[in-house]
Amino acid sequence: MSPASAPVRPAPQEVWDTLSQAERDAAYNNNAAVKDSAAWVEARDKAAPLFRAATPAHLDIPYGSGARQKLDIYPGTPGAPCLVFIHGGYWQRNTREAFAHYAEGLLAHGWSVAMPSYTLAPQARLGAIVDEIGAALDLIAKDGALYGVTGPVVVSGWSAGAQLAVMQLDHPAVAAGLAISGVYELAPLRDTFLNAALELTDAEIAACSPLRHAPSPKPLAIAYGTGEVPALVHDSRALAAKRVAAHAPGALLPILGANHFSILDELRRPDGLLVRAALDLMPGAHA
């Protein structure tokens, strides 16, 4: 059978009731799905502290009283846009420090980049995490000029960070968004290994699933790798379709061959596809 005539397998969400527990867990297990994920994480964890130590920045700026309620700002050209990048880790792991080097691509174009951390589950409920990102954006709106941020803000994130970014698209400080490899419907997660820390309720799923909300009229680019797990591809395409139906602006960007980890290289390289997507969201912006 040729690839063109091979049957298209449904996304896990479309046949969820027929899946075993192992299949449900595998549907959202990005580390297991990418054979060399450990090598990607190791390389990331080596590159990030070197970049963070060598790059001019305002580090560990508190936006709240919590231990993880801090952000780093890498200032760019005065008046240039600022990308606020929110790390992933299914809301229960990782730090902003481990993603510092992904600021490199847009810094090369004169942009500023801000990276917040947030309290992780189970220490914080998902709705509280969403609110923490709002508080970080409040701080940037109020005091950004003190740290060299005076241009428009593009909120962005990867994986769980993409969900958090989309949830804050209507924040008054935000001009546009760039969502990368996100989860936009949370109900299936309750049936997976991820829920041990999240303990999602019906109310949280309804409040924090972007696919259940009316789309923001602000521009949103939605990116995913064609080598991602089908569940994430499904959510990205579903969110883009919902926005098209609502005449909301923004592109759907499948990154050919990219997996859940390699896709971020497109944000690190000055000529990367995600860097271009961010630049395209701010046409005519000073940089």
Side-chain angles (χ1 to χ4, degrees), residues 135-151:
L137 291 166
D138 289 345
L139 183 280
I140 292 169
K142 177 177 176 286
D143 295 333
L146 299 176
Y147 306 106
V149 175
T150 55

Side-chain angles (χ1 to χ4, degrees), residues 8-217:
V8 177
R9 296 182 62 184
Q13 297 95 319
E14 297 171 340
V15 292
W16 196 250
D17 290 344
T18 72
L19 300 184
S20 67
Q21 186 62 57
E23 289 170 326
R24 290 178 174 185
D25 288 342
Y28 289 92
N29 193 332
N30 294 299
N31 290 76
V34 179
K35 291 181 180 179
D36 58 349
S37 62
W40 278 102
V41 172
E42 182 181 6
R44 180 191 74 195
D45 290 348
K46 288 180 178 178
L50 296 175
F51 176 87
R52 193 170 184 261
T55 305
H58 304 281
L59 303 178
D60 306 318
I61 304 165
Y63 65 82
S65 59
R68 290 179 55 95
Q69 293 175 348
K70 294 181 173 66
L71 59 88
D72 298 335
I73 293 178
Y74 302 89
T77 303
C82 177
L83 185 85
V84 177
F85 179 82
I86 308 162
H87 73 77
Y90 280 128
W91 308 277
Q92 54 196 279
R93 60 180 178 269
N94 289 332
T95 68
R96 71 186 186 281
E97 293 94 335
F99 291 79
H101 54 306
Y102 295 118
E104 195 169 358
L106 280 164
L107 287 175
H109 291 271
W111 283 41
S112 298
V113 177
M115 293 192 173
S117 287
Y118 47 90
T119 307
L120 300 177
Q123 283 70 42
R125 306 295 307 183
L126 187 52
I129 295 172
V130 172
D131 290 343
E132 287 189 19
I133 299 303
L137 291 166
D138 289 345
L139 183 280
I140 292 169
K142 177 177 176 286
D143 295 333
L146 299 176
Y147 306 106
V149 175
T150 55
V153 169
V154 176
V155 67
S156 181
W158 166 78
S159 198
Q163 177 267 347
L164 295 171
V166 176
M167 290 296 297
Q168 292 294 343
L169 194 57
D170 279 327
H171 188 284
V174 170
L178 171 60
I180 307 163
S181 305
V183 180
Y184 307 119
E185 169 55 61
L186 303 182
L189 299 185
R190 186 161 52 183
D191 300 327
T192 73
F193 69 103
L194 297 166
N195 201 49
L198 297 173
E199 297 183 332
L200 291 167
T201 66
D202 286 344
E204 288 170 327
I205 289 168
C208 299
S209 293
L211 276 166
R212 302 196 184 196
H213 298 177
S216 170

